[in-house]
Amino acid sequence: MCGICGIVGHQPASPIAFEALRRLEYRGYDSAGIATLTAAGNIERRRAAGKLDNLEYVLKEHPLPGTTGIGHTRWATHGAPTENNAHPHEAGRVAIVHNGIIENFATLKKELEAKGRVFVTETDSETVAHLVDEYLGQGLAPREAAFAAIKRLEGAYAIAMIFKDHEGLLIGARHGAPLAVGYGNGEMFLGSDSIALAPMARKMTYLEDGDWCELTPGHVTIFDMTGAEVSRPVQDLTFMAGQVGKDGYRHYMEKELHEHPVAIGQTLKRITDPASKRIALPEMPFDPAQVPRITITACGSAYYAGMVGRYWLESLARIPVEIDVASEMRYREPPQPDKGVALLISQSGETADTLGVLRSLKKAGQSIVSVLNVEHSTMGRESDLVLGMDAGPEISVASTKAFTAQLSVLAALAIDFARARGTMDQAREERLTASLLDLPSRAAEVFTRTKDIQAMAAVVAQARDVLYLGRGICTPIAFEGALKLKEISYIHAEAYAAGELKHGPISLIDQTVPVVAIAPSTILFDKTLSNLQEAKARGGRILAFTDAEGAKRLEGVAEQVVIMPDVDAFVAPILYAIPVQMLAYEVALLKGTDVDQPRNLAKSVTVE
Ligand code: M6R
């Protein structure tokens, strides 16, 4: 992960780099640093361990001069999150910032040390600086030295470099990690994503894997991995500068939770025909009626969305679905059917594990469909079809609105497949579509339950361990709840299909372990109720998300209930995801944790 940026222009580079790092901080916040070139052509660096605020303090005390610079915000992979390990790394005549992992760094380091080079950090990235400097020392010009070094790197990287005595020169390279070029007025920029570039550039170009580029004020030359000059499309920046503020909310997560109704509504708007009120997805590059199997792959919350998607696709469209987390799927090598479809789900479109599966399933001849929030991401560019969500930028590390937007797309996809495969009559299709289109209003209603969720949070916040239970299509929502609680409140939480409780985890239950049930009064409610009674009989404190009917039946069983709006069982997982995420948020507030930037995490996981 990590976020990188670069600037060549005519304005002071350091404040611009700092603003870009603020917008990239969601990619990692273990340390941060900026390097610029002084008027005398020397490289100067400022670095600080911890969050950007620490770097801001350092920069106030010791501002950086110069109009050429690079910046980095780190999610530590190799080496502790100390100031010494913070980027930019400098070696002789070059300073670099790097996002990714240099897999052959140990070999390169040994070779460079044998030549007398002294390494001063524990990072893999420092190798890149030494390697480039080694080639500069052999008399190569910066561009040639950079290319010679890049060719020797294995692994994943996005890199930006500046060179002593070369004001107005910036070199970037990408392989397996995203990097974009931004076009300003007589200035050029590099950034890990469009969000970083939004305030300073109106147009941008995504580099492709293996690309590297030379930037001077007002000009970019892009090369491919053979060194041949190439041209890449220039696009308008889709994320506007102002779109990523907190708008008066305490945290991005709070803001993004409140954006659920809009995210669902906007997403559905894109995939519904307003006249007929029927689902209208873009044309598929295959015949859905002929697809023998769908393979769903994703990570984290996106994987849980995929688990719900499997229920819908299997039950409505009667299509076999294989699903796994990307880090496992990638190395399982499951046999792929002829005419099969791979469905990748990702908010960022940059998650390394998911991207790896995309590429291997593409090689295995599968049609690639991806459900993405950032459509111009690497996954978007490498997919046969992108089913875009319209959740808007999601900054908080804990995913919220992107999850319900993903579910909305998957629900629509299941309806679309069911129609094409003739497994659903029109009346049912209309009923299910209507329930989907009604969701934004129902989602808005959930916020009137905030006080009840806060009361539940007061119980959960006291616990050391929490169990989340769901059944059927709501089981993945239990997983989502447990993940969110762990992520932002650091309370240990486990999720189970409620029916599994008696096969082991019931032994965990006593008065200190709250049991959070996701229990709309749908077809499996009676079974869930029995499971909850079993838990209560062992002293468990039952806290339930249910509807009015469920609340009646949970009397005497549940200590607290949050009564949700009545909805069709089909859309219950989408609606119930919202209070479950709100619960985690309220618990985190009580625990006083860093909600938007929880420890050890980063939003975009671009390393394996
Ligand atoms: O960008 P992606 O959707 O591919 O990210 C996948 C996971 O890393 C992500 O959902 C993660 O689990 C979130 N922090 C969950 O809140």
Side-chain angles (χ1 to χ4, degrees), residues 298-303 345-351 354 379 394 396-400 402 406 480 483-484 487 601-605:
C299 302
S301 289
Y303 170 68
I345 308 166
S346 174
Q347 187 285 128
S348 62
E350 300 293 351
T351 302
T354 313
M379 281 184 219
E394 195 183 68
S396 174
V397 165
S399 188
T400 52
Q406 282 159 357
E480 167 65 2
L483 173 67
K484 220 103 292 184
E487 257 187 318
L601 290 174
K603 178 125 190 102
S604 198
V605 187

Side-chain angles (χ1 to χ4, degrees), residues 23 26 193-202 204 206 236-244 347-348 373-377 389-395 401:
R23 301 164 74 87
Y26 74 92
D193 63 24
S194 56
I195 296 177
L197 298 173
M200 52 243 199
R202 255 177 254 117
M204 64 179 295
Y206 282 106
D236 287 332
L237 264 170
T238 46
F239 289 107
M240 290 298 105
Q243 259 185 297
V244 285
Q347 187 285 128
S348 62
N373 196 29
V374 185
E375 289 174 58
H376 298 301
S377 54
M389 320 165 209
D390 210 343
E394 195 183 68
I395 305 298
K401 58 179 179 167

Side-chain angles (χ1 to χ4, degrees), residues 450-460 543 560 583 586 590:
T450 302
K451 280 216 158 57
D452 296 338
I453 295 170
Q454 285 167 340
M456 203 181 258
V459 175
V460 173
L543 314 172
Q560 286 190 32
L583 175 64
E586 295 295 341
L590 292 172

Side-chain angles (χ1 to χ4, degrees), residues 425-580:
D425 62 31
Q426 196 172 332
R428 190 168 185 213
E429 181 191 334
E430 281 170 9
R431 180 172 63 78
L432 298 188
T433 308
S435 69
L436 255 183
L437 296 177
D438 188 40
L439 259 180
S441 317
R442 301 285 80 78
E445 265 181 64
V446 175
F447 295 93
T448 64
R449 275 64 165 179
T450 302
K451 280 216 158 57
D452 296 338
I453 295 170
Q454 285 167 340
M456 203 181 258
V459 175
V460 173
Q462 303 303 318
R464 208 190 60 179
D465 307 288
V466 182
L467 269 182
Y468 280 73
L469 300 179
R471 254 196 116 118
I473 201 160
C474 281
T475 302
I477 305 308
F479 280 93
E480 167 65 2
L483 173 67
K484 220 103 292 184
L485 190 74
K486 282 182 273 210
E487 257 187 318
I488 61 169
S489 77
Y490 315 146
I491 293 175
H492 171 237
E494 294 289 339
Y496 281 93
E500 270 294 292
L501 197 63
K502 57 189 174 296
H503 297 288
I506 200 162
S507 66
L508 293 172
I509 291 179
D510 63 21
Q511 297 83 337
T512 65
V513 181
V515 177
V516 178
I518 323 302
S521 62
T522 55
I523 193 163
L524 289 171
F525 183 81
D526 286 341
K527 306 236 178 263
T528 312
L529 185 57
S530 306
N531 302 140
L532 295 179
Q533 265 154 344
E534 289 152 16
K536 183 169 167 72
R538 271 97 189 155
R541 300 176 70 179
I542 313 297
L543 314 172
F545 294 101
T546 185
D547 46 31
E549 174 60 25
K552 263 192 244 154
R553 307 200 39 212
L554 279 163
E555 265 171 33
V557 179
E559 178 178 320
Q560 286 190 32
V561 290
V562 172
I563 302 179
M564 296 286 288
D566 283 326
V567 287
D568 193 295
F570 172 57
V571 295
I574 311 183
L575 192 74
Y576 280 64
I578 301 171
V580 159

Side-chain angles (χ1 to χ4, degrees), residues 163-486:
F163 302 85
K164 185 175 184 304
D165 297 327
H166 288 271
E167 207 198 322
L169 176 66
L170 176 64
I171 288 186
R174 78 153 282 189
H175 184 267
L179 190 62
V181 175
Y183 300 78
N185 201 357
E187 351 174 61
M188 298 296 294
F189 308 97
L190 284 174
S192 290
D193 63 24
S194 56
I195 296 177
L197 298 173
M200 52 243 199
R202 255 177 254 117
K203 301 222 171 269
M204 64 179 295
T205 292
Y206 282 106
L207 296 184
E208 292 185 9
D209 252 359
D211 283 356
W212 59 284
C213 60
E214 182 184 67
L215 288 84
T216 53
H219 189 72
V220 60
T221 315
I222 304 176
F223 308 92
D224 67 14
M225 58 178 76
T226 69
E229 203 174 315
V230 287
S231 88
R232 303 290 181 219
V234 179
Q235 329 178 342
D236 287 332
L237 264 170
T238 46
F239 289 107
M240 290 298 105
Q243 259 185 297
V244 285
K246 284 190 206 150
D247 293 354
Y249 289 101
R250 288 164 291 182
H251 299 99
Y252 282 111
M253 185 175 179
E254 187 183 29
K255 174 184 176 229
E256 288 159 9
L257 281 166
H258 281 83
E259 287 172 346
H260 271 296
V262 175
I264 298 168
Q266 291 288 110
T267 299
L268 290 173
K269 205 165 161 191
R270 290 178 63 165
I271 49 179
T272 316
D273 172 38
S276 65
K277 297 242 180 305
R278 292 184 86 180
I279 296 301
L281 290 176
E283 200 181 327
M284 306 275 159
F286 47 79
D287 177 1
Q290 301 301 319
V291 173
R293 194 185 80 193
I294 295 183
T295 303
I296 300 180
T297 315
C299 302
S301 289
Y303 170 68
Y304 302 140
M307 283 169 73
V308 178
R310 175 181 61 180
Y311 275 91
W312 283 327
L313 285 160
E314 286 177 345
S315 63
L316 300 178
R318 309 303 303 150
I319 184 162
V321 175
E322 153 85 286
I323 178 165
D324 208 342
V325 291
S327 51
E328 289 297 312
M329 182 73 87
R330 189 165 179 186
Y331 298 102
R332 270 179 48 199
E333 299 179 24
Q336 298 301 329
D338 196 28
K339 296 204 173 79
V341 168
L343 183 62
L344 294 311
I345 308 166
S346 174
Q347 187 285 128
S348 62
E350 300 293 351
T351 302
D353 292 319
T354 313
L355 182 60
V357 174
L358 183 156
R359 288 174 178 160
S360 65
L361 293 187
K362 198 172 198 174
K363 262 196 206 136
Q366 304 298 286
S367 294
I368 305 294
V369 179
S370 53
V371 177
L372 304 174
N373 196 29
V374 185
E375 289 174 58
H376 298 301
S377 54
T378 309
M379 281 184 219
R381 295 197 301 281
E382 297 189 17
S383 297
D384 298 316
L385 174 71
V386 175
L387 298 175
M389 320 165 209
D390 210 343
E394 195 183 68
I395 305 298
S396 174
V397 165
S399 188
T400 52
K401 58 179 179 167
F403 182 69
T404 52
Q406 282 159 357
L407 289 175
S408 304
V409 173
L410 293 170
L413 185 69
I415 292 176
D416 187 83
F417 263 68
R419 188 200 298 149
R421 294 166 74 87
T423 54
M424 186 191 282
D425 62 31
Q426 196 172 332
R428 190 168 185 213
E429 181 191 334
E430 281 170 9
R431 180 172 63 78
L432 298 188
T433 308
S435 69
L436 255 183
L437 296 177
D438 188 40
L439 259 180
S441 317
R442 301 285 80 78
E445 265 181 64
V446 175
F447 295 93
T448 64
R449 275 64 165 179
T450 302
K451 280 216 158 57
D452 296 338
I453 295 170
Q454 285 167 340
M456 203 181 258
V459 175
V460 173
Q462 303 303 318
R464 208 190 60 179
D465 307 288
V466 182
L467 269 182
Y468 280 73
L469 300 179
R471 254 196 116 118
I473 201 160
C474 281
T475 302
I477 305 308
F479 280 93
E480 167 65 2
L483 173 67
K484 220 103 292 184
L485 190 74
K486 282 182 273 210

